[in-house]
Amino acid sequence: MTDSNFLTREKIQALESTATAMVAKGKGILAADESSPTIKKRFDTIKVESTEENRRFYRELLFTAPEIENHISGVILFEETLRQSAGDGTPFPKLLSDRGIIPGIKVDKGLALIPETRNEKITQGLDGLAARLDEYRELGARFAKWRAVLSIGDHQPSKLCIALNAHALARYSALSQRAGLVPIVEPEILINGTHDIEACERVTQRTMALLFNELLLQRVVLEGMILKPSMVTPGDACPDRADVETVARKTIKIFKRSVPAAVPGIAFLSGGQTSQQATANLNAMNQIGPAPWELSFSYGRALQEQPLGVWEGKPENRATAQAMLLTRAKCNGAARFGSYTPDMEPHWDMG
Ligand code: 13P
């Protein structure tokens, strides 16, 4: 084994500085890395055909929205988008970095069934990953993302499911850091189900314990990664709802127990919460007071649902859709300081 198999001090410092910039105060990450089947689902809701050009046009609309660089630190791209360019020929990764927004890339290859389980899934994509990561970095990516999915149900998630996904997340993280990419580590505990908030607390804690055990075992530099978890909430079909303060308090409690302070930031996913809920929950967490890590956002739907609905695939709606994205980015940027108020929402959206 040669010394080149070890991260140099310079490489570690570069990872740490990228990770810190990804969770810069007042900013968060736009997740625009929907795979082809997922973006088709999103486009179906506004009756827009999912062609390569429509996807390119829509992503250009997002990435060129005026002023978003004040609230958006990074954008997660799908591989197709990493290779695409704006109308004027500027490659998307360059367009973003020229605006001071860090480009990143989703690198997992989706889900596969785990044998001998009731429909539990492992995330695929480790084979050949090292070579792909080198290419993504050449194309301008500075961070990567890998999403694991866990469901709460009868005796679920199984220890097998948690352990296999923790192992894969740690393998991916170690390979990403070696390639000079900051890994976003995303163990999503799905919101779907009738489970109560206490069940979500227990599962989150078990998952984080095994995950950080694997990350440390596989020598991942915690200072050079970002954790992207779901918040601690009741299932979407649970009759006992939890208010914003309860979600915030329980989420912080569980993460304080299980996420080392060396991790620079926790950037939550929105996971099917409404746009306003996701903002209000993040705001309440930041109001609780000092935490060991930055508490930020890495939202997909909670940033895009409203702009997508406004756009409707019509070129003449482009500017209004961009203004809507800026509003969501601003509201979440304020939630980073705990200073979001509902009157920051556009009045026509208040219901
Ligand atoms: P949501 O915020 O829509 O959950 O998406 C975040 C994400 O990146 C899912 O992998």
Side-chain angles (χ1 to χ4, degrees):
M1 198 185 296
T2 65
D3 276 356
S4 67
N5 200 35
F6 294 92
L7 287 177
T8 59
R9 189 183 302 261
E10 291 73 35
K11 236 174 171 177
I12 292 175
Q13 278 169 353
L15 290 168
E16 288 182 16
S17 90
T18 302
T20 308
M22 287 164 68
V23 290
K25 299 247 182 257
K27 295 186 186 181
I29 294 165
L30 166 64
D33 60 326
E34 298 83 1
S35 62
S36 302
T38 304
I39 195 73
K40 181 182 179 315
K41 260 197 272 174
R42 306 276 185 267
F43 278 10
D44 283 349
T45 64
I46 54 164
K47 300 191 172 53
V48 168
E49 199 190 340
S50 182
T51 62
E52 186 179 344
E53 174 51 22
N54 283 345
R55 294 192 292 271
R56 195 203 62 76
F57 183 94
Y58 171 64
R59 264 91 183 228
E60 179 173 352
L61 175 162
L62 298 176
F63 306 160
T64 56
E67 294 172 47
I68 55 161
E69 69 277 12
N70 298 329
H71 316 282
I72 298 293
S73 56
V75 175
I76 319 175
L77 306 170
F78 187 56
E79 184 171 348
E80 175 188 85
T81 321
L82 185 76
R83 301 177 192 279
Q84 285 175 325
S85 300
D88 69 0
T90 313
F92 281 142
K94 177 168 173 13
L95 183 154
L96 290 167
S97 22
D98 285 353
R99 298 190 70 184
I101 299 174
I102 310 168
I105 166 88
K106 168 200 180 76
V107 303
D108 67 67
K109 295 276 184 193
L111 307 174
L113 263 181
I114 303 173
E116 301 294 316
T117 64
R118 281 201 197 91
N119 211 26
E120 293 191 292
K121 308 278 180 17
I122 174 75
T123 303
Q124 314 179 94
L126 289 173
D127 287 350
L129 179 60
R132 283 199 289 129
L133 293 170
D134 288 338
E135 193 199 351
Y136 298 150
R137 195 170 197 286
E138 281 289 303
L139 288 166
R142 289 296 173 267
F143 66 89
K145 175 192 122 168
W146 179 286
R147 172 175 177 256
V149 177
L150 303 134
S151 290
I152 302 182
D154 238 5
H155 303 294
Q156 283 187 354
S158 63
K159 180 158 184 210
L160 173 64
C161 176
I162 298 175
L164 285 181
N165 277 296
H167 181 268
L169 278 165
R171 276 282 291 150
Y172 137 82
S173 298
L175 291 170
S176 295
Q177 292 190 332
R178 190 195 161 86
L181 300 174
V182 170
I184 292 187
V185 178
E186 180 177 4
E188 174 169 6
I189 296 165
L190 292 177
I191 202 167
N192 313 77
T194 53
H195 55 271
D196 58 20
I197 193 166
E198 285 76 22
C200 187
E201 278 188 281
R202 289 191 296 274
V203 169
T204 305
Q205 188 169 320
R206 272 169 59 210
T207 302
M208 293 305 147
L210 278 180
L211 174 60
F212 278 94
N213 189 37
E214 274 295 337
L215 288 166
L216 289 167
L217 191 65
Q218 297 193 37
R219 303 180 182 176
V220 172
V221 179
L222 299 187
E223 291 82 356
M225 63 160 274
I226 299 296
L227 180 69
K228 172 165 174 167
S230 32
M231 298 177 193
V232 174
T233 67
D236 58 359
C238 175
D240 297 328
R241 305 315 301 159
D243 59 24
V244 168
E245 285 68 33
T246 307
V247 168
R249 188 168 38 78
K250 286 188 180 282
T251 302
I252 301 288
K253 181 182 84 179
I254 294 303
F255 287 114
K256 275 193 173 161
R257 284 181 183 174
S258 49
V259 180
V263 174
I266 300 181
F268 291 95
L269 58 91
S270 60
Q273 298 180 22
T274 66
S275 302
Q276 282 93 344
Q277 255 172 1
T279 307
N281 286 337
L282 179 66
N283 188 60
M285 282 185 231
N286 278 303
Q287 281 182 344
I288 287 177
W293 351 258
E294 295 294 328
L295 290 165
S296 186
F297 60 94
S298 175
Y299 294 158
R301 283 161 288 178
L303 282 169
Q304 290 186 59
E305 212 157 54
Q306 293 177 345
L308 186 75
V310 167
W311 174 50
E312 285 184 318
K314 299 181 183 140
E316 64 271 26
N317 292 344
R318 179 190 159 101
T320 326
Q322 290 182 322
M324 198 67 236
L325 176 65
L326 177 61
T327 300
R328 287 265 50 87
K330 253 188 203 166
C331 289
N332 287 301
R336 292 283 330 265
F337 297 110
S339 60
Y340 160 77
T341 52
D343 62 15
M344 296 175 68
E345 301 287 348
H347 65 276
W348 45 267
D349 192 52
M350 289 303 294

